[in-house]
Amino acid sequence: MKKKTRRFAAGALVSVIAFSALTGCGSSNTTQTTTSGTTVQTEITQAGNTQTSAGVQEQEEPVQLAWLGGQTSAEVDDDAEVVKMIEEKFNIDLKAWYVDSNNFQENLNVRFAGGEMPDVLVIDNLSLLPTYVDGGIVAELPLDLVREKAPNYSKAIDDLGDPSAWSLMAYNGKNYGIVNSATVYPMAMIWRKDWLDKLGLDVPETLEEYEEVLTAFVEQDPDGNGKRDTAGMAERAFGAVFGAYGLRCVTGGFPGFTVEEMQLGEDNVPFFPFIRPEAKEALTLLHSWYEKGIIDKEFITGENHGGYAWLSHSFMNDKIGLTCAQPTHYLFASTDTSDEKNWAICMKELKGLNPDADIVFGPAPIGPDGKSGTEAWSKLGKLTCITTKAAEDPKKIEKFLEMLDAYYTDVDYIKLVNLGIEGKHYEMTENGPVRLMDGVEVRKEGVLQCDFGSTKMYTEMVTPKKDTFCKEVTGNGYYRFNAPPVKEFSDVIATLDTLTEQAYFDMISGAKPLDYFDTYVEEFKKAGGEAAEKAVQEAYAAKMAAIKQ
């Protein structure tokens, strides 16, 4: 089975870059320079200049910072206006690392194996941290240094009232990065309203109603082309089906189940949702829907086939009538689909292909026990690390922390890195900022390359109407659980991922009988899943106990 791999394989690191400890980050450095035969004492200041004993300021050389902002990074134009404005503000030479998002992790591993690395690295999942640390990629970032150099950021994390935030990126007793105070929303269920209207159907609420509507999409020619060539949904809606059984089994923006994202139970004990009995119930329903034609027969290849990651080509091209994404992938700040200024990138693409197409948001399906919900990202947002390459130069660490602190105090700077330049990249409307560029194009301009996510300050100061809108059209969220980094988990992620994706796709498509689920569970446990689950549970319990003391 062909799939897009997102995991980090420790064996890919052919060369290991040694860890360089942070020393002297808080002190100034002095050098002796000679001008016209006179020795002058020079001190490096935090402002990025040199101060001579004669009182003359000299501009210090910019500090180079190579930044990998995550899987959605684009190849940024070094001469873009946004890049130049950020560079001038902090006296840095900003380099945005580009890694092709197709087979992102494999491509990144190759560069790591060749000894290349950025200075700043955003990791998509905390379970990768042990591999990055043990592989010599990520360096320690002492919390005392963070508190000293980024006091406003530190206050914002303290104000969250979640003591675990400060220990989230700890591994073997040391801290290896920073989290962020994120405003996040569950995924939204997005329907083709024009299809519903044509067939005289209401937005469904229960699993049974979902099946009725999705079956109509298969049998009643909703696109009006006279052919039976439409399905109901594809893999992005799978998470909501599992959610109806109380589980967070997600596929995200790419095909394939995200095994490393464990779930935190109501008893505050983390577990693997994929091997729970309820998962078999969800798989049974999905297989039934596949047999009935409700699920697109091409679901294994995913809904996206190029361009911006959250575009659903199946949805836009009249193949399916239901998808799942963030509300703001389609509309900016309200449910008004008649206002073109309210159209986000996915809505623009849909309308470009079919001007008569329309959408409506609906609730996640309610399951047999009254449960429902969709996946949601972590409330502790971007996980950002300093690499061992950056740790060799204390100036890089200081610049990084200066940029972090500015992100929590300077609204104009927050707008610059998130939205770009007003009038060029976005415009302000009564609903808040509206992008004039989207997706890859805006990222090429340097926007969203060194941001720290949608923080609470950003939401309150810049996008309050968007916040209200997103809360109105989404329901319960199964939020990402950031599993404590333990080696027993990180060592087996790739194996468990491959095992689960193959088994799940086979059971949904009928390549294997549903009774194979029991065999899969045993194989999962023997492949390290049982030991990994136990290790995470023990580490999480120990962390919670330490916080309460």
Side-chain angles (χ1 to χ4, degrees):
M1 178 186 68
K2 183 179 179 181
K3 67 184 187 118
K4 295 180 181 178
T5 304
R6 301 176 301 279
R7 302 342 179 234
F8 180 89
L13 286 177
V14 176
S15 61
V16 177
I17 301 174
F19 168 70
S20 175
L22 292 173
T23 57
C25 291
S27 61
S28 63
N29 299 309
T30 59
T31 59
Q32 296 289 328
T33 60
T34 302
T35 305
S36 302
T38 305
T39 301
V40 181
Q41 187 79 3
T42 304
E43 181 177 311
I44 297 174
T45 69
Q46 288 188 11
N49 301 316
T50 57
Q51 180 75 36
T52 68
S53 58
V56 179
Q57 276 199 336
E58 297 176 359
Q59 182 68 30
E60 185 182 310
E61 283 295 312
V63 175
Q64 187 175 103
L65 275 182
W67 202 298
L68 178 58
Q71 190 162 337
T72 55
S73 296
E75 198 159 10
V76 178
D77 178 3
D78 279 349
D79 295 322
E81 193 173 356
V82 170
V83 174
K84 294 302 180 185
M85 291 172 72
I86 295 171
E87 289 178 334
E88 183 177 354
K89 180 176 178 64
F90 296 103
N91 191 35
I92 61 173
D93 179 10
L94 181 62
K95 302 293 183 184
W97 246 47
Y98 173 70
V99 178
D100 190 344
S101 61
N102 292 312
N103 296 318
F104 173 85
Q105 202 64 60
E106 291 178 356
N107 295 330
L108 180 59
N109 292 348
V110 169
R111 296 186 70 174
F112 283 160
E116 296 181 73
M117 67 175 71
D119 297 305
V120 181
L121 171 67
V122 175
I123 60 175
D124 291 332
N125 198 282
L126 192 60
S127 58
L128 298 174
L129 187 60
T131 301
Y132 283 134
V133 173
D134 295 341
I137 300 298
V138 170
E140 180 187 5
L141 185 61
L143 291 180
D144 288 347
L145 183 64
V146 175
R147 285 191 174 276
E148 176 191 350
K149 299 296 183 181
N152 294 293
Y153 160 80
S154 300
K155 182 180 183 303
I157 298 303
D158 287 339
D159 289 346
L160 289 175
D162 181 2
S164 68
W166 283 110
S167 62
L168 191 65
M169 300 196 74
Y171 176 58
N172 288 340
K174 296 180 180 180
N175 182 69
Y176 287 96
I178 55 101
V179 299
N180 285 278
S181 59
T183 301
V184 294
Y185 314 98
M187 295 292 173
M189 307 307 295
I190 303 166
W191 294 87
R192 283 288 296 268
K193 184 178 183 298
D194 51 318
W195 285 19
L196 293 170
D197 291 347
K198 182 174 189 274
L199 302 181
L201 298 170
D202 295 325
V203 175
E205 295 183 0
T206 66
L207 280 176
E208 291 79 7
E209 292 171 352
Y210 260 66
E211 183 167 338
E212 291 175 8
V213 170
L214 294 171
T215 299
F217 285 173
V218 176
E219 297 177 349
Q220 298 181 30
D221 191 24
D223 63 346
N225 69 353
K227 300 177 182 178
R228 184 165 172 156
D229 58 356
T230 52
M233 56 177 258
E235 91 288 343
R236 287 187 178 174
F238 287 177
V241 175
F242 284 98
Y245 293 89
L247 298 179
R248 190 184 194 278
C249 300
V250 304
T251 59
F254 297 94
F257 290 89
T258 314
V259 174
E260 67 264 30
E261 294 188 7
M262 295 177 69
Q263 186 170 343
L264 188 62
E266 294 178 359
D267 57 359
N268 213 34
V269 176
F271 64 92
F272 279 119
F274 299 92
I275 58 176
R276 289 296 180 98
E278 297 88 344
K280 186 176 182 181
E281 295 182 59
L283 288 168
T284 300
L285 180 63
L286 289 172
H287 171 65
S288 170
W289 285 3
Y290 180 84
E291 290 291 297
K292 295 175 180 178
I294 288 173
I295 296 175
D296 183 5
K297 298 298 182 183
E298 304 299 322
F299 78 89
I300 290 177
T301 62
E303 295 182 37
N304 178 265
H305 305 287
Y308 180 60
W310 280 96
L311 292 174
S312 171
H313 293 84
S314 304
F315 188 72
M316 295 186 303
N317 289 290
D318 296 339
K319 298 299 182 185
I320 59 174
L322 170 67
T323 191
C324 188
Q326 283 286 292
T328 51
H329 288 142
Y330 283 82
L331 300 172
F332 284 121
S334 79
T335 57
D336 184 3
T337 61
S338 66
D339 181 3
E340 292 188 25
K341 290 185 177 181
N342 193 39
W343 295 353
I345 180 171
C346 293
M347 191 68 179
K348 289 178 182 176
E349 291 281 345
L350 174 64
K351 285 288 193 177
L353 290 167
N354 186 349
D356 295 327
D358 201 3
I359 65 164
V360 64
F361 297 98
I366 301 170
D369 297 323
K371 296 177 180 178
S372 71
T374 57
E375 69 166 299
W377 295 323
S378 172
K379 292 182 179 180
L380 294 174
K382 284 194 173 184
L383 310 176
T384 310
C385 303
I386 291 296
T387 67
T388 52
K389 171 177 172 266
E392 294 174 356
D393 183 355
K395 295 178 188 176
K396 291 179 182 283
I397 312 302
E398 290 195 1
K399 289 297 182 183
F400 167 76
L401 293 175
E402 183 183 351
M403 294 169 75
L404 172 66
D405 211 49
Y407 198 82
Y408 280 79
T409 57
D410 188 337
V411 174
D412 289 336
Y413 177 63
I414 294 172
K415 289 180 179 178
L416 177 67
V417 293
N418 276 284
L419 300 168
I421 300 167
E422 187 173 0
K424 180 178 181 181
H425 302 110
Y426 76 98
E427 63 177 339
M428 291 302 297
T429 71
E430 61 180 13
N431 287 327
V434 172
R435 292 195 188 280
L436 300 175
M437 288 187 188
D438 281 303
V440 173
E441 290 306 311
V442 76
R443 291 176 183 274
K444 287 180 179 178
E445 295 275 317
V447 181
L448 294 168
Q449 292 304 308
C450 58
D451 67 300
F452 292 96
S454 182
T455 62
K456 290 189 174 183
M457 178 181 177
Y458 177 79
T459 302
E460 293 170 359
M461 301 295 292
V462 183
T463 60
K465 287 194 174 182
K466 167 191 162 183
D467 184 56
T468 300
F469 157 63
C470 289
K471 289 175 180 176
E472 286 177 350
V473 299
T474 58
N476 176 56
Y478 295 103
Y479 290 88
R480 176 181 290 174
F481 168 69
N482 291 298
V486 294
K487 191 170 178 56
E488 294 91 338
F489 189 13
S490 62
D491 283 350
V492 297
I493 286 173
T495 300
L496 299 179
D497 170 66
T498 301
L499 179 65
T500 298
E501 290 185 356
Q502 189 69 61
Y504 268 45
F505 286 154
D506 283 349
M507 284 184 280
I508 292 171
S509 66
K512 281 190 169 62
L514 290 163
D515 286 344
Y516 176 71
F517 182 82
D518 299 328
T519 302
Y520 152 72
V521 171
E522 290 304 311
E523 291 178 347
F524 185 98
K525 291 179 178 179
K526 290 179 181 177
E530 186 171 37
E533 187 176 65
K534 181 180 179 182
V536 169
Q537 289 172 346
E538 291 176 350
Y540 184 71
K543 184 171 77 170
M544 292 299 100
I547 290 171
K548 292 176 181 178
Q549 291 178 355

